[in-house]
Amino acid sequence: DAKTTQPNSMESNEEEPVHLPCNHSTISGTDYIHWYRQLPSQGPEYVIHGLTSNVNNRMASLAIAEDRKSSTLILHRATLRDAAVYYCILRALNQGGKLIFGQGTELSVKP
Amino acid sequence: DSGVTQTPKHLITATGQRVTLRCSPRSGDLSVYWYQQSLDQGLQFLIQYYNGEERAKGNILERFSAQQFPDLHSELNLSSLELGDSALYFCASSGRGAGVSEQFFGPGTRLTVL
């Protein structure tokens, strides 16, 4: 399974944008980039995913580098409720859908 | 609310015992996944079922087994429990296109082995 590297922790101020980086230098052509987050005392929650092009949804944006070796999850205006552990995960079409979680980035949001 | 339900919420038992964790996927989802989250190992994939058949296996111990029933609910059986099995156990489900579609996680079952 291709690996991802994320900073252990990041801090943000409320109502400011947050850019969460992820490196995945060994990504293969069929790997999708997925982001999940886990709020305190809850199960993980899907955030966004993409293959090559940048993606936007109501929760966040995903910016994917041209060589696909890195990506950035963007929260446009952080709220206190966004404090969570964010996981960047690579999923291949042929690996049956399982998620291989790394350590993730613990995001704290200051009021 | 993800639509995935797990019972029980908490379970306290003794070493050597056997327990069963239950998961009901979202309506219409054919795939069920089980994950274990412990402080030292993080979130680990255990096993996946798709429409009643085992699809993928991860770091699941031989003492653990799972199945998916015709109504698509799933059970994870943990036997000969050890202290190290204390963890949060999550179930997730996803739709027909299980390859890259999002997974919806339940609230988890917290297992404490004393």
Side-chain angles (χ1 to χ4, degrees):
Chain A
D1 299 307
K3 289 204 166 189
T4 62
T5 305
Q6 300 176 252
N8 287 334
S9 62
M10 288 185 65
E11 263 189 11
S12 169
N13 293 317
E14 198 176 9
E15 298 192 3
E16 288 185 359
V18 183
H19 291 234
L20 296 160
C22 181
N23 287 320
H24 28 78
S25 57
T26 60
I27 191 170
S28 73
T30 56
D31 284 341
Y32 283 75
I33 302 159
H34 284 244
W35 284 81
Y36 280 75
R37 71 179 185 180
Q38 187 173 20
L39 280 64
S41 304
Q42 293 189 28
E45 172 187 37
Y46 169 82
V47 178
I48 200 167
H49 79 275
L51 183 61
T52 55
S53 306
N54 295 343
V55 184
N56 298 298
N57 66 20
R58 62 173 180 80
M59 285 182 73
S61 295
L62 176 59
I64 301 173
E66 207 166 316
D67 64 4
R68 302 211 321 129
K69 293 188 176 183
S70 65
S71 60
T72 303
L73 179 70
I74 302 164
L75 307 179
H76 295 286
R77 287 181 73 227
T79 69
L80 297 178
R81 216 197 149 272
D82 291 321
V85 178
Y86 287 78
Y87 297 97
C88 170
I89 300 166
L90 301 182
R91 287 177 78 189
L93 265 178
N94 61 359
Q95 73 176 38
K98 63 184 177 185
L99 295 171
I100 306 299
F101 288 85
Q103 294 306 304
T105 296
E106 184 169 9
L107 174 68
S108 57
V109 180
K110 295 186 290 185
Chain B
D1 183 357
S2 66
V4 177
T5 60
Q6 291 186 248
T7 56
K9 269 189 146 172
H10 302 277
L11 203 44
I12 301 174
T13 188
T15 54
Q17 295 298 303
R18 173 190 168 95
V19 297
T20 298
L21 313 184
R22 183 187 167 103
C23 168
S24 293
R26 285 189 328 152
S27 176
D29 282 355
L30 299 179
S31 270
V32 169
Y33 309 79
W34 286 97
Y35 295 85
Q36 178 193 57
Q37 186 170 33
S38 60
L39 280 173
D40 53 345
Q41 298 286 335
L43 263 163
Q44 288 201 92
F45 166 73
L46 295 179
I47 197 164
Q48 177 199 358
Y49 278 82
Y50 179 81
N51 202 20
E53 300 288 327
E54 182 184 303
R55 176 64 67 91
K57 242 178 176 174
N59 299 322
I60 187 165
L61 299 171
E62 282 192 17
R63 302 183 284 108
F64 295 2
S65 65
Q67 53 184 328
Q68 186 179 25
F69 295 86
D71 67 352
L72 300 178
H73 90 272
S74 177
E75 292 181 357
L76 179 67
N77 299 297
L78 316 176
S79 62
S80 303
L81 285 167
E82 301 176 1
L83 296 177
D85 297 327
S86 295
L88 262 170
Y89 291 84
F90 290 105
C91 164
S93 74
S94 67
R96 190 174 294 272
V100 290
S101 60
E102 62 185 283
Q103 291 184 18
F104 296 86
F105 283 77
T109 293
R110 182 174 293 280
L111 174 67
T112 303
V113 182
L114 301 174

